Amino acid sequence: MSKGLQVTIDKDSGFCFGVVYAIDMAEEILEDEGYLYCLGDIVHNDEEVARLKAKGLRIIGHEVLPTLSNEKVLIRAHGEAPETYRIALENNITLIDASCPVVLKLQNRIKTSHDSDEKILIFGKHGHAEVIGLSGQTNDEALVFQDIAELDNVELPPSFTLYSQTTKSVDKFYAIKEELLKRGYDVKANDTICRQVSNRYDDLGDFARQYDKIVFVSGKKSSNGKVLYDVCKAANPNSYFISEINELDSLIFNVGESIGICGATSTPMWLMKDVKHALEQL
């Protein structure tokens, strides 16, 4: 017997403009040339990466880049450090630069700060592609931290400039700024969080409250996925995080429930539609 679930996809979920731009560029070249190298996962979503790999996208790590020459390589929305551009120039590699404009602007601001001899702190996820690119603007001299507790036993300069990865929580950024000011530091704070992510907080909370249960679809590597899922969970405790359809099997749905589906800025709409279809078949 069908459970008759009432399933709705959040109209504002899905790719941000930076990801759309990168994927459009990749698909255009794949159609013309049959293959394209991409430095790291084009988007933090395994299902979308698999779809593009099937079209000829070749994901490579930074260690492979110096072994290539006379090839095209896509830089994804997260941006890259200056070293990547230097290697490309030496090896006659054509970079297809799909760096998000918001990230590029932040890179320039950090580079300007560094060139002015400011000490720089970056609130961001260790090892994240965007953060590596940001830190690269400072010759990796910036101090990267993803939690204020990491700074407890660190001797910080009395004065510094604070930046943030573009997909971090606005509230957390300002809480960190206030805590550092309280500790007596002279903090010049730059709120560089992408409003395409942060502006969704209120709307997403409103969306989540309308349904019996929320299924949040996102890649596990997505930073903004974690932030946006936390927004859903706070608004509706019956919120569940999945990365692929078969994870629905472990969730329990009752007859006639209303289900809202939403996702990260790296979640493709086709995947959310597939999840909706699977729920409607239950």
Side-chain angles (χ1 to χ4, degrees):
M1 180 186 140
S2 166
K3 291 199 169 170
L5 300 175
Q6 305 301 307
V7 189
T8 306
I9 297 175
D10 170 28
K11 64 175 173 41
D12 296 320
S13 282
F15 291 153
C16 63
F17 69 84
V19 172
V20 169
Y21 179 57
I23 288 172
D24 282 353
M25 283 177 99
E27 289 193 306
E28 211 171 285
I29 293 167
L30 289 170
E31 209 166 291
D32 289 347
E33 302 182 22
Y35 78 97
L36 173 66
Y37 290 101
C38 179
L39 203 47
D41 286 348
I42 189 166
V43 61
H44 284 153
N45 187 281
D46 292 344
E47 310 285 303
E48 179 67 2
V49 169
R51 183 185 76 83
L52 290 165
K53 275 169 118 173
K55 290 186 169 212
L57 192 70
R58 302 174 183 177
I59 308 287
I60 58 166
H62 285 82
E63 72 286 352
V64 175
L65 191 67
T67 69
L68 298 178
S69 58
N70 308 309
E71 291 284 4
K72 285 181 180 169
V73 176
L74 182 85
I75 290 180
R76 64 239 169 117
H78 303 99
E80 280 295 325
E83 175 72 357
T84 298
Y85 295 87
R86 189 187 61 74
I87 291 167
L89 206 57
E90 283 176 5
N91 289 24
N92 199 33
I93 292 167
T94 303
L95 291 177
I96 311 299
D97 199 341
S99 299
C100 170
V102 177
V103 174
L104 283 178
K105 189 177 172 189
L106 172 54
Q107 285 187 350
N108 288 333
R109 286 175 73 176
I110 288 178
K111 186 178 186 314
T112 302
S113 283
H114 178 69
D115 291 348
S116 304
D117 291 329
E118 293 174 14
K119 301 294 180 196
I120 295 167
L121 267 66
I122 299 173
F123 169 45
K125 185 178 176 184
H126 294 295
H128 188 282
E130 182 193 319
V131 175
I132 291 167
L134 298 177
S135 184
Q137 309 305 317
T138 71
N139 296 323
D140 294 326
E141 290 168 21
L143 173 61
V144 175
F145 68 100
Q146 56 191 41
D147 194 274
I148 188 81
E150 290 176 43
L151 304 178
D152 288 351
N153 300 311
V154 176
E155 200 174 317
L156 298 175
S159 173
F160 52 81
T161 304
L162 176 67
Y163 287 98
S164 170
Q165 180 183 341
T166 59
T167 50
K168 282 294 184 189
S169 156
V170 175
D171 291 347
K172 200 164 178 195
F173 175 77
Y174 281 104
I176 285 167
K177 175 195 166 186
E178 289 310 314
E179 175 59 27
L180 290 169
L181 286 169
K182 220 189 296 181
R183 292 183 187 185
Y185 296 106
D186 176 13
V187 183
K188 189 164 126 193
N190 287 275
D191 174 357
T192 51
I193 293 161
C194 176
R195 289 313 187 246
Q196 251 204 302
V197 176
S198 65
N199 285 351
R200 288 191 53 211
Y201 297 174
D202 291 345
D203 290 346
L204 199 57
D206 291 343
F207 176 83
R209 278 184 282 272
Q210 291 174 43
Y211 301 91
D212 295 320
K213 288 185 175 134
I214 290 293
V215 176
F216 188 89
V217 188
S218 171
K220 291 183 172 70
K221 297 178 198 164
S222 170
S223 286
N224 80 80
K226 183 177 181 332
V227 170
L228 294 173
Y229 171 66
D230 287 345
V231 170
C232 284
K233 191 82 174 165
N236 184 338
N238 296 315
S239 294
Y240 304 99
F241 186 108
I242 69 164
S243 295
E244 46 191 84
I245 287 175
N246 60 21
E247 291 176 58
L248 289 172
D249 298 345
S250 62
L251 305 180
I252 295 165
F253 300 98
N254 302 313
V255 174
E257 278 188 319
S258 62
I259 313 292
I261 297 174
C262 44
T265 57
S266 51
T267 304
M269 185 54 74
W270 65 260
L271 181 55
M272 287 185 281
K273 283 179 178 172
D274 284 357
V275 170
K276 179 178 191 282
H277 181 70
L279 286 168
E280 287 170 343
Q281 300 307 302
L282 290 177

